[in-house]
Amino acid sequence: MSKRKKTVDPAVRVDELRELIRRHEHAYYVLDEPEISDAEYDALFIELRQVEEARPDLISPDSPTQRVGGEASDQFAKVRHRSPMLSLQNAFDESEIRAFDKRVRGAVGDKVTYCAELKIDGLAISLTYAKGRLQRAATRGDGTVGEDVTANIRTIRSVPLTIEPRAGLPDVFEVRGEVYFPIVAFEKLNREMEAAGKARFVNPRNTAAGSVRQIDPNVTASRDLQTFMYMLDPAGHTRSQWDVLSALEQMGFRVNKHRRRLHSIEEVMEYHSEWQRHRHDLEYEIDGMVVKVDDFGQQLELGFVARSPRWAIAFKYAPEQAETEVEEIACYVGRTGVLTPVAHLKPVIVGGVTVRNVTMHNEAQVNEKGVYVGARVVIHRAGDV
DNA sequence: GAAACCCTAAGGCAATTTCT
DNA sequence: AGAAATTGCCTTAGGGTTTC
């Protein structure tokens, strides 16, 4: 109505625009189902920016225009996690998964449902919301203390700056998930780097980690990072991991759609091999899958062992392998006097990184005279030495 | 080029739990 | 009870990225 448009109060229009923009950001970045064209979206965004410029008093920190900016945090402050960000026990083959299943059923009985999710190759992130607003984002760090990367995470459009109140959730709650670099965006970035005569980035995971630790949030904002969330604490009314994923989705977070509820370890094996075949069809990298006992009651019964829960395991894909030649073997003396043999190799690219050195604690084969006999060392991927 | 992080993996060894 | 397996903790180390 033209009449309404003339008389519209800027304060009202600002709210309308924010609501519309949030809806379309959600459709585009979270659901991957845009409802309007980029141009239409841009028009809304420009209008909001204009109204806010005219009326700076109407600007609020959770406005879509305020994703980039705020105070330029000089350093990353340390933040202690409300509860430790644990790591997962790893399994590399069927026997280890069956052992896990056996342990689980030994503890909680045979009626077990598993929630299986793809294990995204990115970096873990923790988001704290207070009174419906994103208050803080932190990296995992050592699991207990991470770094405050709020200014950078705010620039990721699939991360809601505001959350509607929800029954069963307190004022302050935490969401955890993974930040990653979509492969298409990674390749685009590298084309841009090349065009600018700069060095390419080596792989999406490290680039994502680097992007999140930028001093200047404008750089992060230009990187097209994405997210998948998978944990909610406290868990509100939810009773299972499956429920949590649904709840997170309803709250507006991006949740991976390839999750499955599985009722036997055989189904887990099938899911695993299915994605082993199709992992390269995905628009992001995965390094396996995460299998969790779905029911929270059973999770509680199983409990934790120091650094990882007993009710979950990471079922990894067989590491990429490569062969190369050992050029020389050197021995290094550690701080405590420990001797470490290191093989210097002909550089070989495996798993997206170049490997030149490997320590030989594991793969090294020594004959009865203490002489190294392997002419070749089988390496897993970088770091897996 | 160095330092500080990120993520990952393995070895050594002691303590604890489980099995026979 | 004694042996075997598992767990927990710490150390060392690899490649990568960014900032200074």
Side-chain angles (χ1 to χ4, degrees):
Chain A
M1 292 299 184
S2 57
K3 181 179 174 227
R4 188 170 163 270
K5 198 160 191 176
K6 274 176 205 156
T7 60
V8 73
D9 176 354
V12 174
R13 185 56 181 160
V14 158
D15 282 345
E16 282 176 4
L17 286 168
R18 286 177 186 159
E19 191 51 44
L20 275 171
I21 290 170
R22 278 186 199 120
R23 196 178 96 206
H24 292 305
E25 283 187 341
H26 182 256
Y28 188 94
Y29 292 102
V30 175
L31 305 178
D32 300 314
E33 290 167 4
E35 293 171 5
I36 58 175
S37 69
D38 289 2
E40 289 170 302
Y41 171 83
D42 289 345
L44 292 173
F45 203 91
I46 289 166
E47 186 187 347
L48 175 59
R49 183 162 273 159
Q50 284 170 348
V51 178
E52 287 180 342
E53 270 170 25
R55 289 285 305 275
D57 58 303
L58 294 179
I59 297 177
S60 77
D62 54 6
S63 171
T65 59
Q66 305 301 303
R67 282 191 177 271
V68 190
E71 68 297 347
S73 59
D74 44 348
Q75 284 295 315
F76 297 114
K78 302 280 185 196
V79 292
R80 183 166 289 270
H81 296 299
R82 290 170 65 233
S83 61
M85 292 180 81
L86 304 164
S87 47
L88 292 180
Q89 184 193 157
N90 291 317
F92 288 95
D93 59 41
E94 182 167 349
S95 68
E96 290 178 272
I97 282 294
R98 289 193 182 280
F100 166 75
D101 179 53
K102 194 179 164 191
R103 270 203 306 280
V104 166
R105 286 189 290 119
V108 301
D110 286 337
K111 292 189 79 173
V112 177
T113 297
Y114 292 111
C115 183
E117 301 161 65
L118 300 182
K119 190 169 190 302
I120 313 301
D121 205 5
L123 62 146
I125 198 79
S126 152
L127 309 176
T128 304
Y129 286 81
K131 294 194 192 301
R133 284 186 180 176
L134 175 62
Q135 184 187 52
R136 196 173 67 196
T139 61
R140 180 177 184 283
D142 64 5
T144 306
V145 176
E147 289 182 306
D148 186 330
V149 288
T150 311
N152 290 332
I153 296 301
R154 282 175 63 91
T155 70
I156 304 175
R157 314 277 226 306
S158 61
V159 173
L161 297 180
T162 58
I163 295 289
E164 293 297 313
R166 187 185 166 83
L169 268 191
D171 267 1
V172 177
F173 61 89
E174 185 183 357
V175 174
R176 289 177 185 172
E178 202 82 357
V179 176
Y180 69 94
F181 218 121
I183 294 170
V184 171
F186 176 73
E187 287 170 351
K188 177 163 169 270
L189 174 63
N190 267 341
R191 281 199 300 276
E192 289 166 2
M193 294 300 283
E194 277 181 351
K198 296 180 186 168
R200 291 172 55 90
F201 290 99
V202 173
N203 64 55
R205 181 172 61 74
N206 286 345
T207 311
S211 299
V212 166
R213 300 191 70 260
Q214 291 286 326
I215 295 291
D216 180 1
N218 286 293
V219 177
T220 311
S222 73
R223 290 288 169 85
D224 296 325
L225 294 168
Q226 260 299 9
T227 58
F228 282 124
M229 294 295 136
Y230 52 72
M231 195 209 83
L232 175 62
D233 177 40
H237 287 157
T238 58
R239 292 278 176 272
S240 67
Q241 174 63 17
W242 184 262
D243 289 350
V244 162
L245 296 174
S246 308
L248 288 171
E249 201 165 50
Q250 280 171 28
M251 290 163 76
F253 291 100
R254 195 153 182 272
V255 177
N256 193 281
K257 64 183 175 198
H258 299 301
R259 55 189 187 271
R260 292 274 289 279
R261 245 176 175 165
L262 304 172
H263 299 92
S264 71
I265 209 64
E266 272 68 35
E267 290 183 18
V268 169
M269 294 304 307
E270 277 172 37
Y271 181 81
H272 182 259
S273 53
E274 183 185 325
W275 281 108
Q276 176 131 42
R277 284 195 301 278
H278 294 124
R279 60 189 288 197
H280 297 300
D281 302 339
L282 294 164
E283 61 216 19
Y284 40 83
E285 297 191 336
I286 59 173
D287 59 348
M289 52 187 277
V290 176
V291 182
K292 295 172 182 162
V293 171
D294 193 41
D295 182 80
F296 285 162
Q298 293 182 330
Q299 287 188 3
L300 209 58
E301 277 184 67
L302 284 154
F304 294 83
V305 289
R307 260 202 290 268
S308 52
R310 252 188 247 266
W311 41 263
I313 194 164
F315 192 175
K316 301 236 183 166
Y317 291 120
E320 211 177 312
Q321 295 195 356
E323 289 185 0
T324 185
E325 289 171 34
V326 175
E327 295 186 322
E328 107 176 277
I329 292 169
C331 244
Y332 294 104
V333 185
R335 201 199 306 156
T336 57
V338 178
L339 292 176
T340 305
V342 173
H344 296 284
L345 312 171
K346 279 193 174 167
V348 57
I349 294 171
V350 48
V353 298
T354 308
V355 178
R356 290 187 186 82
N357 305 299
V358 288
T359 54
M360 304 195 300
H361 280 124
N362 340 309
E363 310 300 65
Q365 295 174 13
V366 178
N367 69 14
E368 53 286 332
K369 290 177 194 130
V371 177
Y372 182 73
V373 293
R376 292 181 308 204
V377 177
V378 176
I379 314 152
H380 304 307
R381 31 178 291 185
D384 185 359
V385 290

